[in-house]
Amino acid sequence: MSILKVNAVAKTYTTRFSKNKVEALKNVTFEVEKGEYVAVMGESGSGKTTLLNILAALDKPTAGKVILDGIDLSSVKESEIAQFRRENLGFVFQEFNLLDTFSLRDNIFLPLVLAGKKHADMEKALEPIAKKLGIEELLSKFPYEVSGGQKQRAAVARAVITNPKLILADEPTGALDSRATDELLGLFSEVNKLGQTIVMVTHSVKAASHAGRVLFIKDGEVFHQLYRGDNTNRQMYSLISDTLTMLSTGGER
């Protein structure tokens, strides 16, 4: 069952001074199944960040549709879009986006507070997540008191606590060292095994090699895709590297 449908999405920008039109995306079409873990890769300027912003309902396509669990994102009223994001999407960012004046607990609670949830219900929701992510002893600490990997664990907790239909991750390992990267990718795999759908934009071959499918964007279009099948992470790493080399040298699909 497809939880996300991207149908012939295009995005054209008009430059501020020259008024030239730039096609960031053109005819992007793909679907994501419920419980799938998809990585999106491409060179800088390929359109993957634009695609992520459209999936996050932060930007609107010039043409085409994005449908999340049967809801056309373009049909959501501007006055309701923030609530729609809180109820349906979870976000994990490269720079964590935690508030330094809030404890980790309060950072994680933030989307539930905005949704008007009761404190007792928030605590009940947090307990199993904090245990799963290994941050039970850190909840009273502030972001500046913990490591990058611990911050990212808190960011993952904040993303999953609302039980979103889709988690969108933007370069989630970009600010982490190799050890913290391994830990986070392990967490993503565990969260995915529990049924959470994930779409991750990344430059990292290592990060993408943990996904079940990798979409490659080139010049605003889906150029190629790889399915994990029975491949190990190491085999996926090799296949992804070969595909990226093909993209950079102008190879064909």
Side-chain angles (χ1 to χ4, degrees):
M1 173 186 172
S2 295
I3 191 78
L4 177 69
K5 296 182 180 180
V6 179
N7 185 20
V9 163
K11 181 65 179 182
T12 302
Y13 294 101
T14 302
T15 56
R16 183 175 179 183
F17 297 109
S18 66
K19 303 300 182 182
N20 290 331
K21 293 186 180 297
V22 177
E23 274 191 311
L25 296 174
K26 47 189 175 184
N27 196 36
V28 173
T29 299
F30 65 91
E31 296 186 7
V32 176
E33 300 294 313
K34 184 176 174 59
E36 198 174 5
Y37 182 1
V38 178
V40 180
M41 302 194 78
E43 297 178 314
S44 296
S46 62
K48 61 185 185 300
T49 300
T50 299
L51 175 61
L52 185 73
N53 287 339
I54 290 173
L55 299 183
L58 294 169
D59 198 359
K60 293 184 178 181
T62 307
K65 291 184 177 182
V66 175
I67 298 172
L68 178 62
D69 199 23
I71 299 173
D72 183 347
L73 298 194
S74 65
S75 70
V76 182
K77 296 178 182 177
E78 200 65 36
S79 60
E80 299 172 352
I81 199 69
Q83 180 181 348
F84 177 84
R85 290 191 202 101
R86 285 198 305 270
E87 293 177 350
N88 295 280
L89 301 172
F91 299 92
V92 181
F93 304 95
Q94 177 176 342
E95 298 298 335
F96 319 124
N97 283 24
L98 299 176
L99 300 174
D100 277 339
T101 54
F102 282 23
S103 67
L104 296 189
R105 174 183 279 103
D106 289 340
N107 268 286
I108 296 166
F109 281 166
L110 191 56
L112 298 181
V113 171
L114 293 172
K117 300 296 184 182
K118 295 179 180 179
H119 186 267
D121 292 336
M122 292 191 289
E123 289 286 359
K124 185 177 180 180
L126 176 58
E127 185 177 348
I129 295 171
K131 184 175 182 180
K132 183 73 176 177
L133 298 180
I135 55 174
E136 299 161 285
E137 307 301 320
L138 303 173
L139 295 175
S140 297
K141 292 185 177 293
F142 290 83
Y144 55 82
E145 297 179 307
V146 300
S147 69
Q150 291 166 336
K151 289 179 187 177
Q152 198 60 297
R153 284 170 179 258
V156 171
R158 181 184 58 193
V160 301
I161 198 167
T162 58
N163 192 28
K165 293 172 182 173
L166 177 66
I167 284 182
L168 297 172
D170 184 12
E171 299 287 359
T173 63
L176 303 178
D177 60 28
S178 59
R179 179 178 177 181
T181 291
D182 289 341
E183 290 178 355
L184 178 67
L185 293 175
L187 289 173
F188 266 38
S189 294
E190 288 299 315
V191 168
N192 175 244
K193 286 176 184 176
L194 294 174
Q196 179 63 63
T197 309
I198 302 171
V199 174
M200 172 179 62
V201 167
T202 183
H203 281 100
S204 168
V205 176
K206 185 174 187 178
S209 69
H210 284 69
R213 177 163 53 119
V214 184
L215 291 176
F216 297 89
I217 304 292
K218 181 179 180 181
D219 299 329
E221 297 183 275
V222 176
F223 175 83
H224 186 61
Q225 57 183 324
L226 290 173
Y227 287 87
R228 171 176 294 279
D230 295 326
N231 291 313
T232 63
N233 288 352
R234 180 171 292 186
Q235 289 169 325
M236 282 293 287
Y237 189 103
S238 179
L239 290 169
I240 293 166
S241 297
D242 290 346
T243 302
L244 289 174
T245 299
M246 181 174 63
L247 260 69
S248 65
T249 57
E252 297 298 323
R253 289 178 176 80

mmCIF file of all heavy atoms in Angstrom, residues 2 22 35 50 53 66 68-69 91 104 115 145 171 176 192 206:
data_model
loop_
_atom_site.group_PDB
_atom_site.id
_atom_site.type_symbol
_atom_site.label_atom_id
_atom_site.label_comp_id
_atom_site.label_asym_id
_atom_site.label_seq_id
_atom_site.Cartn_x
_atom_site.Cartn_y
_atom_site.Cartn_z
ATOM 1 N N SER A 2 0.643 2.146 -0.936
ATOM 2 C CA SER A 2 1.453 3.366 -1.030
ATOM 3 C C SER A 2 0.969 4.396 -0.027
ATOM 4 O O SER A 2 -0.208 4.752 0.007
ATOM 5 C CB SER A 2 1.367 3.956 -2.440
ATOM 6 O OG SER A 2 1.947 3.066 -3.378
ATOM 7 N N VAL A 22 14.214 28.702 -14.004
ATOM 8 C CA VAL A 22 15.081 27.575 -13.680
ATOM 9 C C VAL A 22 14.209 26.392 -13.289
ATOM 10 O O VAL A 22 13.373 26.483 -12.379
ATOM 11 C CB VAL A 22 16.036 27.923 -12.511
ATOM 12 C CG1 VAL A 22 16.874 26.698 -12.145
ATOM 13 C CG2 VAL A 22 16.915 29.103 -12.877
ATOM 14 N N GLY A 35 5.848 1.770 5.474
ATOM 15 C CA GLY A 35 6.903 1.007 6.131
ATOM 16 C C GLY A 35 8.204 0.934 5.340
ATOM 17 O O GLY A 35 9.152 0.288 5.775
ATOM 18 N N THR A 50 14.836 20.593 -3.113
ATOM 19 C CA THR A 50 13.541 21.119 -3.550
ATOM 20 C C THR A 50 12.461 20.060 -3.386
ATOM 21 O O THR A 50 11.351 20.345 -2.903
ATOM 22 C CB THR A 50 13.613 21.564 -5.026
ATOM 23 O OG1 THR A 50 14.586 22.593 -5.163
ATOM 24 C CG2 THR A 50 12.266 22.080 -5.505
ATOM 25 N N ASN A 53 11.526 19.707 0.280
ATOM 26 C CA ASN A 53 10.694 20.831 0.731
ATOM 27 C C ASN A 53 9.249 20.678 0.269
ATOM 28 O O ASN A 53 8.316 21.030 0.991
ATOM 29 C CB ASN A 53 11.262 22.153 0.212
ATOM 30 C CG ASN A 53 12.534 22.557 0.929
ATOM 31 O OD1 ASN A 53 12.807 22.103 2.037
ATOM 32 N ND2 ASN A 53 13.325 23.398 0.287
ATOM 33 N N VAL A 66 1.436 15.803 -4.925
ATOM 34 C CA VAL A 66 1.996 14.959 -3.872
ATOM 35 C C VAL A 66 0.832 14.540 -2.985
ATOM 36 O O VAL A 66 0.110 15.386 -2.448
ATOM 37 C CB VAL A 66 3.052 15.703 -3.039
ATOM 38 C CG1 VAL A 66 3.518 14.825 -1.873
ATOM 39 C CG2 VAL A 66 4.237 16.102 -3.903
ATOM 40 N N LEU A 68 -0.248 12.273 0.305
ATOM 41 C CA LEU A 68 0.192 11.562 1.506
ATOM 42 C C LEU A 68 -1.016 10.894 2.152
ATOM 43 O O LEU A 68 -1.933 11.567 2.619
ATOM 44 C CB LEU A 68 0.854 12.531 2.486
ATOM 45 C CG LEU A 68 1.317 11.922 3.821
ATOM 46 C CD1 LEU A 68 2.380 10.846 3.587
ATOM 47 C CD2 LEU A 68 1.838 13.000 4.764
ATOM 48 N N ASP A 69 -1.010 9.577 2.135
ATOM 49 C CA ASP A 69 -2.095 8.790 2.724
ATOM 50 C C ASP A 69 -3.461 9.272 2.230
ATOM 51 O O ASP A 69 -4.395 9.461 3.019
ATOM 52 C CB ASP A 69 -2.024 8.851 4.251
ATOM 53 C CG ASP A 69 -2.813 7.726 4.909
ATOM 54 O OD1 ASP A 69 -3.033 6.697 4.242
ATOM 55 O OD2 ASP A 69 -3.210 7.890 6.078
ATOM 56 N N PHE A 91 10.287 15.203 11.423
ATOM 57 C CA PHE A 91 11.454 15.760 10.750
ATOM 58 C C PHE A 91 12.728 15.494 11.552
ATOM 59 O O PHE A 91 12.746 15.655 12.775
ATOM 60 C CB PHE A 91 11.307 17.275 10.556
ATOM 61 C CG PHE A 91 10.140 17.675 9.710
ATOM 62 C CD1 PHE A 91 8.906 17.960 10.281
ATOM 63 C CD2 PHE A 91 10.247 17.739 8.327
ATOM 64 C CE1 PHE A 91 7.820 18.313 9.503
ATOM 65 C CE2 PHE A 91 9.167 18.095 7.537
ATOM 66 C CZ PHE A 91 7.949 18.383 8.124
ATOM 67 N N LEU A 104 16.126 18.384 26.881
ATOM 68 C CA LEU A 104 15.833 17.413 25.815
ATOM 69 C C LEU A 104 14.385 16.946 25.914
ATOM 70 O O LEU A 104 13.708 16.779 24.887
ATOM 71 C CB LEU A 104 16.784 16.212 25.913
ATOM 72 C CG LEU A 104 18.274 16.475 25.691
ATOM 73 C CD1 LEU A 104 19.030 15.152 25.602
ATOM 74 C CD2 LEU A 104 18.528 17.308 24.442
ATOM 75 N N ALA A 115 0.220 20.488 19.842
ATOM 76 C CA ALA A 115 -1.012 19.776 19.497
ATOM 77 C C ALA A 115 -2.010 19.757 20.654
ATOM 78 O O ALA A 115 -3.104 19.207 20.519
ATOM 79 C CB ALA A 115 -0.689 18.349 19.066
ATOM 80 N N GLU A 145 24.664 20.441 26.695
ATOM 81 C CA GLU A 145 25.305 19.569 27.689
ATOM 82 C C GLU A 145 25.521 18.147 27.175
ATOM 83 O O GLU A 145 26.072 17.315 27.898
ATOM 84 C CB GLU A 145 24.448 19.505 28.959
ATOM 85 C CG GLU A 145 24.296 20.826 29.676
ATOM 86 C CD GLU A 145 23.422 20.728 30.914
ATOM 87 O OE1 GLU A 145 22.282 20.227 30.799
ATOM 88 O OE2 GLU A 145 23.873 21.164 31.991
ATOM 89 N N GLU A 171 19.797 15.105 5.456
ATOM 90 C CA GLU A 171 21.215 14.922 5.797
ATOM 91 C C GLU A 171 21.385 14.628 7.287
ATOM 92 O O GLU A 171 22.144 15.310 7.989
ATOM 93 C CB GLU A 171 22.015 16.172 5.413
ATOM 94 C CG GLU A 171 21.994 16.521 3.936
ATOM 95 C CD GLU A 171 22.838 15.583 3.094
ATOM 96 O OE1 GLU A 171 23.471 14.663 3.639
ATOM 97 O OE2 GLU A 171 22.853 15.754 1.871
ATOM 98 N N LEU A 176 27.552 14.574 12.233
ATOM 99 C CA LEU A 176 27.962 13.563 13.198
ATOM 100 C C LEU A 176 29.305 12.944 12.836
ATOM 101 O O LEU A 176 29.659 12.846 11.663
ATOM 102 C CB LEU A 176 26.902 12.451 13.275
ATOM 103 C CG LEU A 176 25.475 12.880 13.629
ATOM 104 C CD1 LEU A 176 24.553 11.670 13.605
ATOM 105 C CD2 LEU A 176 25.437 13.562 14.992
ATOM 106 N N ASN A 192 12.546 1.878 11.516
ATOM 107 C CA ASN A 192 11.923 1.400 10.286
ATOM 108 C C ASN A 192 11.357 -0.011 10.464
ATOM 109 O O ASN A 192 10.261 -0.320 9.968
ATOM 110 C CB ASN A 192 12.927 1.442 9.145
ATOM 111 C CG ASN A 192 12.387 0.856 7.855
ATOM 112 O OD1 ASN A 192 12.887 -0.144 7.355
ATOM 113 N ND2 ASN A 192 11.354 1.462 7.297
ATOM 114 N N LYS A 206 27.248 5.897 2.780
ATOM 115 C CA LYS A 206 27.078 5.020 3.948
ATOM 116 C C LYS A 206 25.646 5.085 4.468
ATOM 117 O O LYS A 206 25.035 4.061 4.752
ATOM 118 C CB LYS A 206 28.050 5.422 5.048
ATOM 119 C CG LYS A 206 28.026 4.499 6.259
ATOM 120 C CD LYS A 206 29.114 4.879 7.243
ATOM 121 C CE LYS A 206 29.213 3.873 8.362
ATOM 122 N NZ LYS A 206 30.306 4.213 9.311
#
